[in-house]
């Protein structure tokens, strides 16, 4: 597989778990963090990390490229995420590192 396709599919794999989380909560009240620039900056970071992981892994199939992108970030979020009562909706009261860890832990 071409490295560019691997990176694009890895980026898709990196953001896929977060989009599934949004779809899963579609019948609940829309979370306030979806309108936050901080949220979208983190989504871009996840896409970039998924792209890098997939490009480094040299996948041979589409499924493998998506798995590299999603798997690398699953490991990262499980290692550094935290469960916290305050989430991204409380941006004024929470420092950025705590916001990222809370988002990864949700």
């Amino acid at each position: 597989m071409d490295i560019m396709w691997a990176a694009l599919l890895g980026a898709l794999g990196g953001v896929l778990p977060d989009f599934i989380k949004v779809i899963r909560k579609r019948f609940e009240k829309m979370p306030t963090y979806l309108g936050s620039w901080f949220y979208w900056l983190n989504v871009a970071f996840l896409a970039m990390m998924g792209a890098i992981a997939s490009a480094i892994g040299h996948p041979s199939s589409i499924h493998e490229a998506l798995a590299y992108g999603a798997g690398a970030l699953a490991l990262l979020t499980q290692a550094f995420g935290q469960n916290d009562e305050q989430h991204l909706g409380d941006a004024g009261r929470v420092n950025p590192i705590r916001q990222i860890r809370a988002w990864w832990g949700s």
Side-chain angles (χ1 to χ4, degrees), residues 13-82:
V15 298
L16 198 58
D18 205 61
F19 287 133
I20 290 171
K21 186 188 323 179
V22 170
I23 291 169
R24 188 180 68 227
K25 296 180 179 185
R26 70 186 177 275
F27 295 118
E28 298 174 13
K29 181 183 168 206
M30 186 173 120
T32 57
Y33 64 83
L34 287 178
S36 164
W37 66 270
F38 187 78
Y39 170 78
W40 293 105
L41 182 67
N42 278 290
V43 169
F45 173 74
L46 293 176
M48 184 174 53
M49 294 302 292
I52 291 169
S54 185
I56 290 173
H58 301 292
S60 58
S61 69
I62 292 172
H63 295 93
E64 194 176 335
L66 290 169
Y68 275 127
L73 297 166
L75 176 67
L76 183 69
T77 58
Q78 290 299 312
F80 296 110
Q82 73 180 17

